Amino acid sequence: MPKIFFYHTPELTPTDSIPDCAIAVDVLRATTTIATVLDLGAEAVQVFSDIDKLMIESEKWLPEKRMRAGERGGAKVEGCEYGNSPLEYTSEGVKGRRLFLSTSNGTRALQRVEAAPVLLTSALVNRQAVVDYLVAQQPETIAIVGSGWLGSYSLEDSVCAGAVAHRFLEMTSASLKDLAGNDETIAAISLYQQWQDRLEEFMYLASHGQRLERLQCYEDLAYCAKLDILNVLPIQKEPGVLVKAERS
């Protein structure tokens, strides 16, 4: 029986043990953007915590084969074509191109667990695709890592972790007692159960949701709150590089 552990931030994620499967979560907005871009046909998403390294690496690619997205504090970084809004992208603009992405929090979560044998990303928009993989593969240990906000707790990442674990329970014969690897997992499931029918309203309660509200990112908040609208599973192909998993 798999065990699901949830860690609120990269800083709280243990480094002395490696899970069989790690899932990075940054609902607002990095992992929502990653799922969206791969669903639209991007070749891959390559993530960086350091914006300078992103610029250096992306320069090795032809302009017509790359896209650069940088975000700090919710705003676009100078020198990048995109910020961190999943709604900035179109299939015509991304098809066959690689997105070079650096954000305030999500890319740090990915790097924290990049040594895991399997590394996925989840948001609410692609929750079901992630759970389908977990149910089919049954990894023994699963670590869901929230991105938080500069080291602090984020409501929206917790509700996504709860959504993943709750759906896994619904699709299997697992009991909550057997499935939950730590107290944080049980708390996340409870949070999701309370808000599952009001996820967009919930986004406006979250501190980062309020930051995005001040930036007038209302459409982003509505989109990031949607559940199971993308049938795409982002999976790490090599450290820092995510592709759309082939699914049977």
Side-chain angles (χ1 to χ4, degrees):
M1 172 59 61
K3 283 279 190 186
I4 296 181
F5 298 81
F6 173 49
Y7 303 105
H8 292 147
T9 67
E11 293 79 7
L12 292 172
T13 304
T15 56
D16 58 350
S17 61
I18 299 175
D20 297 305
C21 176
I23 305 169
V25 174
D26 185 8
V27 173
L28 296 175
R29 294 165 287 174
T31 56
T32 304
T33 295
I34 289 167
T36 300
V37 168
L38 290 176
D39 187 64
L40 289 171
E43 175 261 338
V45 178
Q46 189 165 349
V47 299
F48 299 82
S49 57
D50 187 319
I51 195 71
D52 294 328
K53 290 181 180 177
L54 180 153
M55 292 299 185
I56 292 169
E57 188 64 30
S58 63
E59 282 296 328
K60 299 175 183 177
W61 289 64
L62 293 171
E64 61 268 23
K65 290 293 184 181
R66 73 174 185 229
M67 303 171 287
R68 290 184 287 213
E71 170 269 325
R72 292 294 183 271
K76 185 171 74 170
V77 172
E78 185 178 351
C80 292
E81 299 87 36
Y82 299 94
N84 192 24
S85 171
L87 299 179
E88 292 183 78
Y89 302 92
T90 64
S91 56
E92 298 80 15
V94 308
K95 194 167 182 63
R97 301 169 76 187
R98 176 169 294 203
L99 177 64
F100 293 84
L101 175 68
S102 180
T103 71
S104 298
N105 303 291
T107 46
R108 289 169 43 252
L110 280 159
Q111 290 188 331
R112 184 74 169 196
V113 287
E114 68 180 11
V118 176
L119 173 56
L120 312 173
T121 68
S122 184
L124 292 169
V125 292
N126 69 319
R127 185 271 309 252
Q128 185 63 55
V130 172
V131 177
D132 286 345
Y133 177 91
L134 299 179
V135 170
Q137 300 299 320
Q138 296 280 316
E140 189 171 331
T141 54
I142 302 162
I144 305 177
V145 179
S147 298
W149 175 263
L150 303 179
S152 63
Y153 174 88
S154 284
L155 275 175
E156 68 275 7
D157 294 341
S158 292
V159 86
C160 183
V164 170
H166 183 266
R167 185 63 180 142
F168 187 94
L169 285 170
E170 288 184 329
M171 293 180 64
T172 66
S173 58
S175 71
L176 178 57
K177 185 176 179 181
D178 290 336
L179 182 70
N182 59 4
D183 289 355
E184 290 89 335
T185 299
I186 297 171
I189 292 171
S190 299
L191 185 68
Y192 172 71
Q193 287 176 314
Q194 181 176 353
W195 287 97
Q196 58 185 309
D197 298 322
R198 296 179 290 158
L199 289 170
E200 185 175 348
E201 178 186 346
F202 179 79
M203 291 299 164
Y204 283 88
L205 293 177
S207 57
H208 191 39
Q210 292 177 41
R211 290 185 197 95
L212 294 174
E213 182 183 11
R214 288 192 291 272
L215 292 168
Q216 299 185 330
C217 297
Y218 311 119
E219 291 182 358
D220 277 11
L221 288 164
Y223 179 77
C224 292
K226 293 183 183 299
L227 193 62
D228 303 336
I229 61 169
L230 300 180
N231 187 25
V232 60
L233 180 66
I235 189 167
Q236 182 173 256
K237 181 176 73 169
E238 58 188 78
V241 179
L242 297 147
V243 297
K244 183 178 179 179
E246 296 296 329
R247 304 179 63 208
S248 56

